[in-house]
Amino acid sequence: MVIAGLSAFPASAASVPAAYAAKPFPQEVRLPNGFSPENLAIDQKKGLAYTGSLVDGSIERIDLKSGMVKPFAPSPGPHKLASGMDIDRFGRLWVTGGGGSVVPGVIASFRVYDTKSGALLADVTVPDAAYLNDVTVTRDAAWLTDSLRPSLVRVPIGDDGKIGVPEKVPLGGDWASSSAGFNANGIDATPDGRHLIVGQSDAADGHSAFYLVPTDTAGGAVDARRITLNGTMDAADGLQLTGRTLEVADPKGVVEIDLSRSLTHGRVLGTTTVPGAAWPSAAKSFGCRLYVVDANFGKNNSNVGNPAAEFKVVAIPFA
């Protein structure tokens, strides 16, 4: 597949509003014991971050300037959790809700919140999904990864913000699912919304893999092209694309990958450790920092739901 028309994206980090540039922000933000976060979304204009619980789906809001943590949304009810998160151009928070194939009894669904009021705007079940893990939002759609299916879920977004009916988008081309564990996991979109980068935690060759996926679904299925790396990594989780730099969270820290102009090749540059973090699971940028979620899963996920377990968000430098 020939990739044409991809813009040369600037590699600089997102700018910080002037009001937030006066003094350093806290480097570590403590979350409530037992909260069990997995991902986060950052409102770049307001300097606010949101993170959700794998236990009950409740959501906390973090003021990155002060480090203050406040409840944003209560638990949506039984059989719901919060995994992936992103904010759309209408200022709405999208949250993926996992699924019963990994956590028995949990409903495969997604939710949408108004970030101004905290109101729940949509709570949609996706019956054909196994585990809705992460989400990225483009101008005209939200894209959700289903970690146990060889497919993505696309939710159309109208020009007026109307949320459409979710549709399954099978992954073809180079995509090869593995039965060893999680497949499609982290996801992010190019700034023009024409392509996605999708991380596969457990590829068939025993390592993590990354794919370039077009967002044109006119034919139903899409052909995923595996990104050729000059190195290897394992257990890839949440990811962020900034310019041609791909930041990937894994249990050892945040791995930096330098992608080619076509986004089809990459060089693994190294891993930045996250001070005090037991298990980094997601990293999102704000200004000159990456904010990393310490999911602190524990051995065999023993800390998920453990009321004594500690969780936090840690800031590390981001060029």
Side-chain angles (χ1 to χ4, degrees):
M1 179 173 68
V2 177
I3 306 299
L6 288 176
S7 302
F9 307 125
S12 60
S15 60
V16 178
Y20 283 84
K23 63 179 181 179
F25 292 3
Q27 292 184 332
E28 182 178 294
V29 177
R30 293 278 178 171
L31 297 168
N33 282 11
F35 184 70
S36 296
E38 203 268 340
N39 213 312
L40 82 166
I42 297 179
D43 186 324
Q44 297 290 332
K45 294 181 180 179
K46 298 180 179 179
L48 298 173
Y50 301 84
T51 187
S53 172
L54 289 173
V55 179
D56 64 2
S58 61
I59 299 170
E60 298 284 311
R61 182 173 65 193
I62 304 168
D63 185 322
L64 297 179
K65 181 179 181 180
S66 66
M68 184 175 294
V69 179
K70 291 184 176 180
F72 171 74
S75 170
H79 314 298
K80 299 289 181 70
L81 57 76
S83 182
M85 314 183 89
D86 200 11
I87 296 175
D88 69 14
R89 63 190 176 100
F90 298 99
R92 301 176 301 192
L93 177 68
W94 289 70
V95 181
T96 51
S101 294
V102 175
V103 185
V106 169
I107 299 170
S109 61
F110 67 87
R111 304 188 297 280
V112 183
Y113 295 87
D114 182 341
T115 55
K116 292 182 179 179
S117 66
L120 178 61
L121 304 177
D123 188 347
V124 181
T125 299
V126 185
D128 190 40
Y131 191 84
L132 297 177
N133 196 334
D134 205 351
V135 56
T136 189
V137 185
T138 64
R139 184 175 182 82
D140 61 0
W143 291 86
L144 290 62
T145 57
D146 188 347
S147 292
L148 299 180
R149 296 278 191 272
S151 59
L152 304 175
V153 174
R154 179 181 183 272
V155 185
I157 300 175
D159 290 338
D160 59 355
K162 182 178 179 181
I163 299 171
V165 177
E167 55 193 41
K168 180 179 179 179
V169 180
L171 292 168
D174 294 339
W175 188 271
S177 292
S178 167
S179 60
F182 269 15
N183 283 273
N185 193 341
I187 187 171
D188 203 359
T190 56
D192 60 9
R194 294 174 58 190
H195 292 83
L196 307 167
I197 303 289
V198 179
Q200 185 180 28
S201 296
D202 302 293
D205 60 7
H207 299 291
S208 294
F210 304 92
Y211 296 82
L212 185 64
V213 179
T215 55
D216 182 358
T217 61
V222 293
D223 285 337
R225 177 169 180 173
R226 184 163 178 169
I227 297 171
T228 303
L229 298 182
N230 78 328
T232 61
M233 68 169 295
D234 302 321
D237 200 339
L239 55 86
Q240 176 183 279
L241 178 67
T242 303
R244 296 201 303 271
T245 300
L246 186 65
E247 305 283 352
V248 186
D250 81 355
K252 297 179 181 178
V254 178
V255 179
E256 183 177 349
I257 299 174
D258 179 37
L259 297 175
S260 65
R261 187 179 181 86
S262 65
L263 306 183
T264 58
H265 294 74
R267 293 185 300 120
V268 178
L269 300 181
T271 301
T272 301
T273 58
V274 182
W279 194 309
S281 59
K284 300 291 177 67
S285 68
F286 181 70
C288 59
R289 289 178 166 185
L290 279 173
Y291 285 84
V292 182
V293 174
D294 180 11
N296 189 17
F297 289 126
K299 186 177 181 180
N300 297 323
N301 294 323
S302 59
N303 280 341
V304 178
N306 177 0
E310 297 182 351
F311 302 94
K312 56 185 173 289
V313 174
V314 182
I316 61 174
F318 179 52

